[in-house]
Amino acid sequence: GKLIVVDADPHVRYQRVIARARTYEQHISFEQFMTEDEAEMGTNETDTTKFGTAQVMSMADIRLDNSGEGTEKFIEQARQRIGIKSGV
């Protein structure tokens, strides 16, 4: 199997959070978003029995960038990187 990581620029992810308009996310500042993101990433974790998203992402076999605009372009990029022919 392959571990595939899909990531996007933090500013893009923040804009998508705001656009989702979930009640608990409606008034989150970018700074608060980044604080929560860093906590989830676990980059400052010192307990070796715990790991966050950053550690999992570092093990990826394939990394896909979802920062761009346009689903079709992302799907084509994903197909190419994963090795799936178009139209399948």
Side-chain angles (χ1 to χ4, degrees):
K2 299 277 185 191
L3 177 60
I4 301 170
V5 168
V6 179
D7 197 11
D9 176 82
H11 290 92
V12 171
R13 291 187 289 113
Y14 174 70
Q15 291 302 316
R16 290 174 181 168
V17 164
I18 298 304
R20 274 196 305 242
R22 292 181 180 160
T23 303
Y24 60 92
E25 295 174 331
Q26 285 181 336
H27 303 291
I28 189 171
S29 68
F30 181 72
E31 291 76 20
Q32 184 179 359
F33 170 80
M34 289 305 298
T35 298
E36 292 178 10
D37 188 61
E38 288 170 11
E40 287 180 11
M41 293 297 273
T43 52
N44 296 323
E45 182 61 62
T46 57
D47 183 342
T48 57
T49 64
K50 297 180 181 178
F51 59 93
T53 306
Q55 288 82 356
V56 174
M57 291 173 75
S58 72
M59 296 184 284
D61 298 302
I62 299 171
R63 297 182 64 90
L64 300 174
D65 182 13
N66 192 19
S67 296
E69 296 181 26
T71 305
E72 293 300 320
K73 186 175 181 180
F74 174 76
I75 290 171
E76 185 57 34
Q77 171 200 18
R79 287 178 182 271
Q80 289 174 359
R81 296 290 309 278
I82 296 169
I84 299 172
K85 294 180 182 179
S86 294
V88 175

